[in-house]
Amino acid sequence: MQKSLAEHQQAEAKNEQDKQIVASDPNSWKKSLDDTVAQRDYLNKQLTDTQDQITNLTNN
């Protein structure tokens, strides 16, 4: 129970921090989304490369 309360308080603090960031920079959500999409694309490429390596290893 204590842990979930601490987690809740942490989440509230993070939410408040996010609100302040958005208030100071209304386009911060767009930057964050762009960063997330770029990270997803990078991880997808890493995954594809790893799958290709596994395929090459199992075929040889």
Side-chain angles (χ1 to χ4, degrees):
M1 182 72 184
Q2 194 66 28
K3 183 179 177 192
S4 63
L5 176 61
E7 286 173 346
H8 178 71
Q9 289 171 334
Q10 227 175 0
E12 279 188 346
K14 170 93 174 83
N15 192 29
E16 193 56 41
Q17 187 180 27
D18 288 348
K19 285 181 186 175
Q20 290 172 359
I21 291 170
V22 170
S24 67
D25 182 3
N27 291 322
S28 63
W29 68 270
K30 174 92 170 81
K31 293 174 196 157
S32 178
L33 180 61
D34 291 345
D35 289 348
T36 303
V37 169
Q39 189 175 29
R40 182 205 61 197
D41 292 346
Y42 171 77
L43 290 173
N44 278 337
K45 183 176 181 338
Q46 291 291 98
L47 177 61
T48 302
D49 290 349
T50 303
Q51 288 170 330
D52 290 346
Q53 287 176 348
I54 290 170
T55 301
N56 288 338
L57 288 172
T58 54
N59 287 343
N60 290 337

Coordinates of all heavy atoms in Angstrom, one line a residue:
M1 N 0.8 -1.2 0.0 CA 0.0 0.0 0.0 C 0.9 1.3 0.0 O 0.6 2.2 -0.7 CB -0.9 0.0 1.2 CG -1.8 1.1 1.3 SD -3.2 1.0 0.1 CE -4.0 2.5 0.4
Q2 N 1.9 1.2 0.8 CA 2.8 2.4 0.9 C 3.5 2.7 -0.4 O 3.6 3.8 -0.8 CB 3.8 2.1 2.0 CG 4.6 3.4 2.4 CD 3.7 4.4 3.1 OE1 2.7 4.1 3.7 NE2 4.0 5.7 3.0
K3 N 3.9 1.6 -1.1 CA 4.6 1.8 -2.4 C 3.7 2.4 -3.4 O 4.1 3.3 -4.1 CB 5.1 0.4 -2.9 CG 5.9 0.5 -4.1 CD 6.3 -0.9 -4.6 CE 7.1 -0.7 -5.9 NZ 7.3 -2.0 -6.5
S4 N 2.4 2.0 -3.5 CA 1.5 2.5 -4.4 C 1.2 4.0 -4.2 O 1.0 4.8 -5.1 CB 0.2 1.7 -4.5 OG -0.5 1.8 -3.3
L5 N 1.2 4.4 -2.9 CA 1.0 5.8 -2.6 C 2.2 6.6 -3.0 O 2.0 7.7 -3.7 CB 0.8 6.0 -1.1 CG 0.7 7.4 -0.6 CD1 -0.5 8.1 -1.2 CD2 0.6 7.5 1.0
A6 N 3.4 6.1 -2.8 CA 4.6 6.8 -3.3 C 4.6 6.9 -4.8 O 5.0 7.9 -5.3 CB 5.9 6.0 -2.8
E7 N 4.2 5.8 -5.4 CA 4.2 5.8 -6.9 C 3.2 6.8 -7.4 O 3.4 7.5 -8.4 CB 3.8 4.4 -7.5 CG 5.0 3.4 -7.3 CD 4.5 2.0 -7.7 OE1 3.3 1.7 -7.8 OE2 5.4 1.2 -7.9
H8 N 2.0 6.9 -6.7 CA 1.0 7.9 -7.1 C 1.5 9.3 -6.9 O 1.3 10.2 -7.8 CB -0.2 7.7 -6.3 CG -1.3 8.6 -6.6 ND1 -2.1 8.6 -7.7 CD2 -1.8 9.7 -5.8 CE1 -3.0 9.6 -7.7 NE2 -2.8 10.2 -6.6
Q9 N 2.2 9.6 -5.8 CA 2.8 10.9 -5.6 C 3.8 11.3 -6.6 O 3.9 12.4 -7.1 CB 3.3 11.0 -4.2 CG 2.3 11.0 -3.1 CD 2.8 10.8 -1.7 OE1 3.9 10.3 -1.5 NE2 2.1 11.4 -0.7
Q10 N 4.6 10.3 -7.0 CA 5.6 10.5 -8.0 C 5.0 10.8 -9.4 O 5.4 11.7 -10.1 CB 6.5 9.2 -8.2 CG 8.0 9.4 -8.2 CD 8.7 8.1 -8.2 OE1 8.2 7.0 -8.2 NE2 10.0 8.2 -8.2
A11 N 4.0 10.1 -9.7 CA 3.2 10.3 -11.0 C 2.6 11.7 -11.0 O 2.6 12.4 -12.0 CB 2.2 9.2 -11.2
E12 N 2.0 12.1 -9.8 CA 1.5 13.4 -9.8 C 2.5 14.5 -9.9 O 2.3 15.5 -10.6 CB 0.8 13.6 -8.4 CG -0.6 13.1 -8.3 CD -1.4 13.4 -7.1 OE1 -0.7 13.9 -6.1 OE2 -2.6 13.2 -7.0
A13 N 3.7 14.3 -9.3 CA 4.8 15.3 -9.5 C 5.3 15.4 -10.9 O 5.5 16.4 -11.4 CB 5.9 14.9 -8.5
K14 N 5.4 14.2 -11.5 CA 5.8 14.2 -13.0 C 4.7 14.9 -13.8 O 5.1 15.6 -14.7 CB 6.0 12.7 -13.4 CG 6.2 12.5 -14.9 CD 7.6 12.5 -15.2 CE 7.9 12.1 -16.7 NZ 7.8 13.3 -17.6
N15 N 3.5 14.6 -13.5 CA 2.4 15.3 -14.3 C 2.4 16.8 -14.2 O 2.3 17.5 -15.1 CB 1.0 14.7 -13.8 CG -0.1 15.1 -14.7 OD1 0.1 15.3 -15.9 ND2 -1.3 15.2 -14.2
E16 N 2.7 17.2 -12.9 CA 2.8 18.7 -12.7 C 4.0 19.3 -13.4 O 3.9 20.3 -14.0 CB 2.9 18.9 -11.2 CG 2.7 20.4 -10.8 CD 1.4 20.9 -11.3 OE1 0.3 20.3 -11.2 OE2 1.4 22.1 -11.7
Q17 N 5.1 18.5 -13.4 CA 6.3 19.0 -14.1 C 6.0 19.1 -15.6 O 6.4 20.0 -16.3 CB 7.4 18.0 -13.8 CG 8.8 18.4 -14.4 CD 9.8 17.3 -14.1 OE1 9.5 16.1 -13.9 NE2 11.1 17.8 -14.0
D18 N 5.3 18.1 -16.2 CA 5.0 18.1 -17.6 C 4.1 19.3 -17.9 O 4.2 19.9 -19.0 CB 4.2 16.8 -18.0 CG 5.2 15.6 -18.0 OD1 6.4 15.8 -17.9 OD2 4.7 14.4 -18.1
K19 N 3.1 19.6 -17.0 CA 2.2 20.7 -17.3 C 3.1 22.0 -17.3 O 2.8 22.9 -18.2 CB 1.2 20.9 -16.1 CG 0.1 19.9 -16.2 CD -0.9 20.1 -15.1 CE -2.0 19.0 -15.0 NZ -2.8 19.2 -13.8
Q20 N 4.1 22.2 -16.5 CA 4.9 23.4 -16.5 C 5.7 23.5 -17.7 O 5.9 24.5 -18.3 CB 5.8 23.4 -15.2 CG 5.0 23.6 -13.9 CD 5.9 23.4 -12.7 OE1 7.1 23.1 -12.8 NE2 5.3 23.6 -11.5
I21 N 6.2 22.3 -18.2 CA 7.0 22.3 -19.4 C 6.1 22.7 -20.6 O 6.5 23.6 -21.4 CB 7.6 20.9 -19.7 CG1 8.7 20.6 -18.7 CG2 8.2 20.8 -21.1 CD1 9.2 19.2 -18.7
V22 N 4.9 22.2 -20.7 CA 4.0 22.5 -21.8 C 3.6 24.0 -21.7 O 3.5 24.7 -22.7 CB 2.7 21.6 -21.8 CG1 1.7 22.1 -22.7 CG2 3.1 20.2 -22.1
A23 N 3.4 24.5 -20.5 CA 3.1 25.9 -20.3 C 4.2 26.8 -20.8 O 3.9 27.9 -21.4 CB 2.7 26.2 -18.9
S24 N 5.4 26.4 -20.6 CA 6.6 27.2 -21.0 C 6.9 27.0 -22.5 O 7.5 27.9 -23.1 CB 7.8 26.9 -20.1 OG 8.2 25.6 -20.4
D25 N 6.5 25.9 -23.0 CA 6.8 25.6 -24.4 C 5.6 24.8 -25.0 O 5.6 23.5 -24.9 CB 8.1 24.8 -24.6 CG 8.5 24.5 -26.0 OD1 7.7 25.0 -26.9 OD2 9.5 23.9 -26.3
P26 N 4.7 25.4 -25.6 CA 3.5 24.7 -26.1 C 3.7 23.7 -27.1 O 2.9 22.8 -27.3 CB 2.6 25.9 -26.7 CG 3.1 27.1 -26.1 CD 4.6 26.9 -25.8
N27 N 4.9 23.7 -27.8 CA 5.2 22.7 -28.8 C 6.0 21.5 -28.2 O 6.5 20.7 -29.0 CB 6.0 23.3 -30.0 CG 5.1 24.3 -30.8 OD1 3.9 24.0 -31.0 ND2 5.6 25.4 -31.2
S28 N 6.2 21.5 -26.9 CA 7.0 20.4 -26.3 C 6.4 19.1 -26.6 O 7.2 18.1 -26.8 CB 7.2 20.7 -24.8 OG 6.0 20.6 -24.1
W29 N 5.1 19.0 -26.6 CA 4.5 17.7 -26.9 C 4.9 17.2 -28.3 O 5.1 16.0 -28.5 CB 2.9 17.8 -26.8 CG 2.3 18.6 -27.9 CD1 2.1 19.9 -27.8 CD2 1.9 18.2 -29.1 NE1 1.6 20.4 -29.0 CE2 1.4 19.3 -29.8 CE3 1.9 16.9 -29.8 CZ2 1.0 19.2 -31.1 CZ3 1.4 16.9 -31.1 CH2 0.9 18.0 -31.8
K30 N 5.0 18.1 -29.2 CA 5.4 17.7 -30.6 C 6.8 17.2 -30.6 O 7.1 16.2 -31.3 CB 5.2 18.9 -31.5 CG 5.7 18.7 -32.9 CD 4.6 18.2 -33.8 CE 4.9 18.3 -35.3 NZ 5.7 17.1 -35.7
K31 N 7.7 17.9 -29.9 CA 9.1 17.5 -29.8 C 9.2 16.1 -29.2 O 9.9 15.2 -29.7 CB 9.9 18.5 -29.1 CG 10.1 19.8 -29.8 CD 10.8 20.8 -28.9 CE 10.6 22.2 -29.4 NZ 10.8 23.2 -28.3
S32 N 8.4 15.9 -28.1 CA 8.4 14.6 -27.4 C 7.9 13.5 -28.3 O 8.5 12.4 -28.4 CB 7.5 14.7 -26.2 OG 7.5 13.5 -25.5
L33 N 6.8 13.8 -29.1 CA 6.3 12.8 -30.0 C 7.3 12.5 -31.1 O 7.5 11.3 -31.4 CB 5.0 13.4 -30.6 CG 4.3 12.4 -31.6 CD1 3.9 11.1 -31.0 CD2 3.1 13.1 -32.2
D34 N 7.9 13.5 -31.6 CA 9.0 13.3 -32.7 C 10.1 12.5 -32.2 O 10.6 11.6 -32.8 CB 9.5 14.6 -33.2 CG 8.5 15.4 -34.0 OD1 7.5 14.8 -34.4 OD2 8.7 16.6 -34.2
D35 N 10.5 12.7 -30.9 CA 11.6 11.9 -30.3 C 11.1 10.5 -30.1 O 11.9 9.5 -30.4 CB 11.9 12.5 -28.9 CG 12.7 13.8 -29.0 OD1 13.1 14.2 -30.1 OD2 12.8 14.5 -28.0
T36 N 9.9 10.3 -29.7 CA 9.4 8.9 -29.5 C 9.3 8.2 -30.8 O 9.7 7.0 -30.9 CB 8.0 9.0 -28.9 OG1 8.1 9.7 -27.6 CG2 7.4 7.6 -28.6
V37 N 8.8 8.9 -31.9 CA 8.8 8.2 -33.2 C 10.2 7.9 -33.7 O 10.4 6.8 -34.3 CB 8.0 9.2 -34.2 CG1 8.1 8.7 -35.6 CG2 6.5 9.3 -33.8
A38 N 11.1 8.8 -33.5 CA 12.5 8.5 -34.0 C 13.0 7.3 -33.2 O 13.7 6.5 -33.8 CB 13.3 9.8 -33.8
Q39 N 12.8 7.3 -31.9 CA 13.3 6.1 -31.1 C 12.6 4.8 -31.6 O 13.3 3.8 -31.7 CB 12.9 6.4 -29.6 CG 13.6 5.4 -28.7 CD 13.3 5.8 -27.3 OE1 12.3 6.4 -26.9 NE2 14.2 5.4 -26.4
R40 N 11.3 4.9 -31.9 CA 10.6 3.7 -32.4 C 11.2 3.2 -33.7 O 11.5 2.0 -33.9 CB 9.1 4.0 -32.6 CG 8.4 2.8 -33.0 CD 7.1 3.1 -33.8 NE 7.4 3.9 -35.0 CZ 6.5 4.6 -35.6 NH1 5.3 4.7 -35.2 NH2 6.9 5.3 -36.7
D41 N 11.5 4.2 -34.6 CA 12.1 3.8 -35.9 C 13.4 3.2 -35.7 O 13.8 2.2 -36.4 CB 12.1 5.0 -36.8 CG 10.7 5.5 -37.2 OD1 9.8 4.8 -37.1 OD2 10.7 6.6 -37.7
Y42 N 14.2 3.8 -34.8 CA 15.6 3.2 -34.6 C 15.5 1.8 -34.0 O 16.2 0.9 -34.5 CB 16.3 4.2 -33.6 CG 17.6 3.6 -33.1 CD1 18.8 3.6 -33.9 CD2 17.7 3.0 -31.8 CE1 20.0 3.1 -33.5 CE2 18.9 2.5 -31.4 CZ 20.0 2.5 -32.2 OH 21.2 2.0 -31.7
L43 N 14.6 1.6 -33.0 CA 14.5 0.3 -32.4 C 13.9 -0.7 -33.4 O 14.3 -1.9 -33.4 CB 13.5 0.3 -31.2 CG 14.1 1.1 -30.0 CD1 13.1 1.2 -28.9 CD2 15.4 0.4 -29.5
N44 N 13.0 -0.3 -34.3 CA 12.5 -1.2 -35.4 C 13.7 -1.6 -36.3 O 13.7 -2.8 -36.7 CB 11.4 -0.6 -36.2 CG 10.1 -0.7 -35.5 OD1 9.9 -1.6 -34.6 ND2 9.1 0.2 -35.8
K45 N 14.5 -0.7 -36.6 CA 15.7 -1.0 -37.5 C 16.6 -2.0 -36.8 O 17.1 -2.9 -37.4 CB 16.4 0.3 -37.9 CG 17.6 -0.1 -38.9 CD 18.3 1.2 -39.4 CE 19.4 0.9 -40.3 NZ 20.0 -0.4 -40.3
Q46 N 16.9 -1.7 -35.5 CA 17.7 -2.6 -34.7 C 17.1 -4.0 -34.7 O 17.8 -5.0 -34.8 CB 17.9 -2.1 -33.3 CG 18.7 -0.8 -33.1 CD 20.1 -1.0 -33.4 OE1 20.6 -0.8 -34.5 NE2 20.8 -1.5 -32.5
L47 N 15.8 -4.1 -34.5 CA 15.1 -5.4 -34.4 C 15.3 -6.1 -35.8 O 15.6 -7.3 -35.8 CB 13.6 -5.2 -34.1 CG 12.8 -6.4 -34.1 CD1 13.3 -7.4 -33.1 CD2 11.3 -6.1 -33.8
T48 N 15.0 -5.4 -36.9 CA 15.2 -6.0 -38.2 C 16.6 -6.5 -38.5 O 16.8 -7.6 -39.0 CB 14.8 -5.0 -39.3 OG1 13.4 -4.5 -39.0 CG2 14.8 -5.6 -40.7
D49 N 17.6 -5.7 -38.1 CA 19.0 -6.0 -38.3 C 19.3 -7.3 -37.5 O 20.0 -8.2 -37.9 CB 19.9 -4.9 -37.8 CG 19.9 -3.7 -38.8 OD1 19.3 -3.9 -39.9 OD2 20.4 -2.7 -38.4
T50 N 18.8 -7.4 -36.2 CA 19.0 -8.5 -35.4 C 18.4 -9.8 -36.0 O 19.0 -10.9 -36.0 CB 18.5 -8.3 -33.9 OG1 19.1 -7.1 -33.4 CG2 18.8 -9.5 -33.0
Q51 N 17.1 -9.6 -36.5 CA 16.4 -10.7 -37.1 C 17.2 -11.2 -38.3 O 17.3 -12.4 -38.5 CB 15.0 -10.3 -37.5 CG 14.1 -10.2 -36.2 CD 12.8 -9.6 -36.6 OE1 12.7 -8.8 -37.5 NE2 11.8 -9.9 -35.8
D52 N 17.7 -10.3 -39.1 CA 18.5 -10.7 -40.3 C 19.8 -11.4 -39.9 O 20.2 -12.4 -40.5 CB 18.9 -9.4 -41.1 CG 17.7 -8.8 -41.8 OD1 16.7 -9.4 -41.9 OD2 17.9 -7.6 -42.3
Q53 N 20.4 -11.0 -38.8 CA 21.6 -11.7 -38.3 C 21.3 -13.1 -37.9 O 22.0 -14.0 -38.1 CB 22.3 -10.9 -37.1 CG 23.0 -9.6 -37.6 CD 23.5 -8.8 -36.4 OE1 23.2 -9.1 -35.2 NE2 24.3 -7.8 -36.7
I54 N 20.2 -13.2 -37.2 CA 19.8 -14.6 -36.7 C 19.5 -15.5 -37.9 O 19.9 -16.6 -37.9 CB 18.5 -14.4 -35.8 CG1 18.9 -13.8 -34.4 CG2 17.9 -15.8 -35.5 CD1 17.8 -13.4 -33.6
T55 N 18.8 -14.9 -38.9 CA 18.5 -15.7 -40.1 C 19.8 -16.1 -40.8 O 19.9 -17.3 -41.2 CB 17.6 -14.8 -41.1 OG1 16.4 -14.5 -40.4 CG2 17.3 -15.6 -42.3
N56 N 20.7 -15.2 -40.9 CA 22.0 -15.5 -41.5 C 22.8 -16.6 -40.7 O 23.4 -17.5 -41.3 CB 22.9 -14.3 -41.7 CG 22.4 -13.3 -42.7 OD1 21.6 -13.7 -43.6 ND2 22.7 -12.1 -42.6
L57 N 22.7 -16.5 -39.4 CA 23.4 -17.5 -38.6 C 22.8 -18.9 -38.7 O 23.5 -19.9 -38.7 CB 23.5 -17.1 -37.1 CG 24.4 -15.9 -36.8 CD1 24.2 -15.4 -35.4 CD2 25.9 -16.3 -37.0
T58 N 21.5 -18.9 -38.7 CA 20.8 -20.2 -38.8 C 20.8 -20.8 -40.2 O 20.7 -22.0 -40.3 CB 19.3 -20.1 -38.4 OG1 18.7 -19.1 -39.1 CG2 19.2 -19.7 -36.9
N59 N 21.0 -20.0 -41.2 CA 21.1 -20.5 -42.6 C 22.6 -21.0 -42.9 O 22.7 -21.7 -43.9 CB 20.7 -19.5 -43.6 CG 19.2 -19.3 -43.6 OD1 18.5 -20.1 -43.0 ND2 18.7 -18.2 -44.1
N60 N 23.5 -20.6 -42.1 CA 24.9 -20.9 -42.5 C 25.4 -22.1 -41.7 O 25.0 -22.6 -40.8 CB 25.9 -19.7 -42.2 CG 25.6 -18.6 -43.2 OD1 25.1 -18.8 -44.2 ND2 26.0 -17.4 -42.8

